Amino acid sequence: MERTNQKIGEGLKAGLLLTTGVVLLVCASTISTPQQIETVLFSTSSLKPTLHVAPSLDLGSFSDVTSIPTTRIVHAAGVAPVVADGASPQQRLSQPPKLAQLPTPIPLTAPWALATLLGGLATLIGILSLRTALLHRSPQPRVALAATSGHRTSPIDRRTALLSGVGMALSLRQPAPALAADELVDVYFGVGCFWHVQHEFVEAERRILGRKDDELTAYAGYAGGTKLGRSPTRPGSAENLVCYHNFQQIADYGRLGHGEAVGMKIPASKVEDFAAEYFKLFDRGGDRPDKGDRGGEYRSMIGLPGGVSSPLFPAIERQANGLVELKAGMGDDGDTLGRKLVWVYDTADFPFHIGEVYHQYHDGFMPGENYPDSYNNLKKGAFKDGRLPWSGCPDIVGEA
């Protein structure tokens, strides 16, 4: 409180000095000599001189108006309008002035010089005092932010704390809460055609998590778009469809802004292991292997609870290791081919939509991607026991 009162006092003193200086300068500008009867002001914007008669001068004090001396002139850019000596005031007002070069600067009178000097000094001191009062910083007490999961408590100054608070307030989303290590989370990964990607994550579920065939959760589907479709063959159905290209043109995923991805449910503690498997699918240039597929439908993407604000995101960054840029997706995003880029989506805003049954456990189309029948037939068991539902899209299956 004492420091605050001191700063207020310094600011008031500075303001008083500044005001005094300005007043003195204004007063100095109004001081004239008996020789100044008229003031001709030169406008630098229009270059049209204007003639004024000083209202404070009594013309009756001169016995002979023809003896009125030539006016003092305020000039700009070295030139000023002048009028002929000996003209009457009325003639001076009606006579257009001419431009002439000023031979010498106008001499300063003693009062004008004194007021100008004092006003300038007071103004300068006031500005310097005000600047000192504003910029002076007294030592600030150090505060500490409460520790959050994954962060150490460290002392920071009040300015840093304020800036941190502003940054948090401007963010669209607060960081997602910490997840338990064994908590199952819904994530998805996309990099080109989803057929081969699904196979690799099925194998990862088996190898990393030890899951059996009836425990697998990796399915081909769609994500990253802002729109959903409705089936015209099912009046009154909800607008919740995202489908592969079809002759009926029902909820086409490309037109709805979605891309191909593989969704799965895995423990939070294993997200980094699955991210490592994901980045193995990229070539050395940070691109998908199947470069023949073009368009936003084949863009590289990752879906996490909380997106780039997720507590799982640092694990993704570690595994990316500079291979690609991880950028928050806004939805309906474009292709990433040749850009070394992966869109990262918040699964709350951009959820995963499971694909058609016929797309599940499918062979890839690149060399070496003809998988055994045991893999292809996984779709039958998954659909039969209800783990693989019908999406509502045109498919090899339908409503019973």
Side-chain angles (χ1 to χ4, degrees):
M1 188 67 180
E2 182 178 354
R3 291 193 182 98
T4 302
N5 292 335
Q6 182 180 0
K7 288 188 176 181
I8 293 176
E10 293 174 356
L12 291 176
K13 292 177 183 178
L16 181 60
L17 284 171
L18 187 59
T19 303
T20 303
V22 171
V23 170
L24 287 173
L25 288 175
V26 171
C27 292
S29 66
T30 60
I31 296 177
S32 60
T33 67
Q35 299 297 319
Q36 291 181 297
I37 301 173
E38 305 151 10
T39 302
V40 181
L41 298 177
F42 186 75
S43 172
T44 58
S45 60
S46 62
L47 298 182
K48 293 180 181 179
T50 305
L51 192 63
H52 300 277
V53 175
S56 60
L57 182 66
D58 183 8
L59 295 179
S61 63
F62 292 88
S63 59
D64 184 3
V65 296
T66 61
S67 64
I68 297 175
T70 303
T71 179
R72 301 283 182 186
I73 299 170
V74 177
H75 64 91
V79 296
V82 297
V83 295
D85 288 335
S88 67
Q90 292 77 16
Q91 290 174 331
R92 290 170 182 256
L93 289 173
S94 61
Q95 177 183 352
K98 300 178 181 180
L99 294 179
Q101 295 290 333
L102 290 178
T104 57
I106 302 173
L108 299 176
T109 61
W112 191 92
L114 181 59
T116 301
L117 179 61
L118 293 177
L121 288 175
T123 302
L124 179 60
I125 295 173
I127 291 174
L128 293 176
S129 300
L130 184 60
R131 179 178 180 274
T132 301
L134 292 176
L135 296 182
H136 176 69
R137 296 179 183 270
S138 56
Q140 300 292 339
R142 300 176 72 83
V143 298
L145 294 181
T148 58
S149 176
H151 296 79
R152 296 173 58 188
T153 303
S154 59
I156 58 175
D157 59 38
R158 187 167 64 185
R159 179 185 180 191
T160 304
L162 177 61
L163 292 177
S164 300
V166 171
M168 293 173 62
L170 292 178
S171 63
L172 296 177
R173 225 176 232 285
Q174 294 293 332
L179 299 170
D182 294 333
E183 179 181 352
L184 293 178
V185 294
D186 290 303
V187 299
Y188 56 79
F189 299 91
V191 51
C193 176
F194 48 23
W195 289 342
H196 174 62
V197 177
Q198 182 186 21
H199 177 268
E200 297 306 299
F201 280 111
V202 165
E203 293 303 310
E205 283 190 276
R206 288 170 168 165
R207 186 177 64 257
I208 298 173
L209 303 178
R211 287 178 174 172
K212 299 177 182 179
D213 289 351
D214 59 355
E215 298 173 328
L216 299 173
T217 63
Y219 293 110
Y222 316 98
T226 59
K227 298 176 286 294
L228 300 174
R230 178 185 290 115
S231 173
T233 62
R234 302 168 62 194
S237 62
E239 190 175 44
N240 59 0
L241 292 184
V242 181
C243 307
Y244 195 72
H245 310 304
N246 57 86
F247 290 114
Q248 299 95 318
Q249 298 186 358
I250 297 174
D252 186 297
Y253 79 107
R255 295 182 180 180
L256 297 176
H258 294 267
E260 297 186 11
V262 173
M264 65 207 72
K265 188 182 290 289
I266 59 177
S269 61
K270 299 299 182 181
V271 168
E272 185 162 2
D273 295 323
F274 278 75
E277 296 298 318
Y278 172 66
F279 288 112
K280 290 178 183 178
L281 301 175
F282 289 74
D283 62 21
R284 294 182 179 179
D287 270 327
R288 57 178 177 263
D290 54 319
K291 298 178 177 57
D293 290 326
R294 301 295 180 98
E297 297 97 319
Y298 304 101
R299 63 188 183 265
S300 300
M301 67 172 79
I302 297 175
L304 299 171
V308 296
S309 299
S310 172
L312 302 173
F313 184 64
I316 304 296
E317 289 183 303
R318 285 192 295 271
Q319 291 304 316
N321 195 28
L323 176 66
V324 295
E325 177 188 2
L326 301 171
K327 188 174 182 179
M330 304 304 293
D332 307 335
D333 301 289
D335 199 356
T336 55
L337 186 63
R339 301 172 62 183
K340 300 186 65 173
L341 173 67
V342 174
W343 299 113
V344 180
Y345 296 106
D346 185 344
T347 53
D349 297 328
F350 302 97
F352 176 77
H353 301 271
I354 197 166
E356 294 80 355
V357 172
Y358 72 85
H359 275 308
Q360 309 302 328
Y361 308 105
H362 200 288
D363 289 339
F365 63 86
M366 297 288 285
E369 294 180 0
N370 293 323
Y371 308 122
D373 292 342
S374 59
Y375 173 79
N376 301 140
N377 291 332
L378 287 173
K379 68 168 64 69
K380 296 179 181 179
F383 180 73
K384 184 178 180 179
D385 62 21
R387 289 182 290 111
L388 174 58
W390 176 51
S391 64
C393 297
D395 204 342
I396 59 175
V397 298
E399 290 179 307

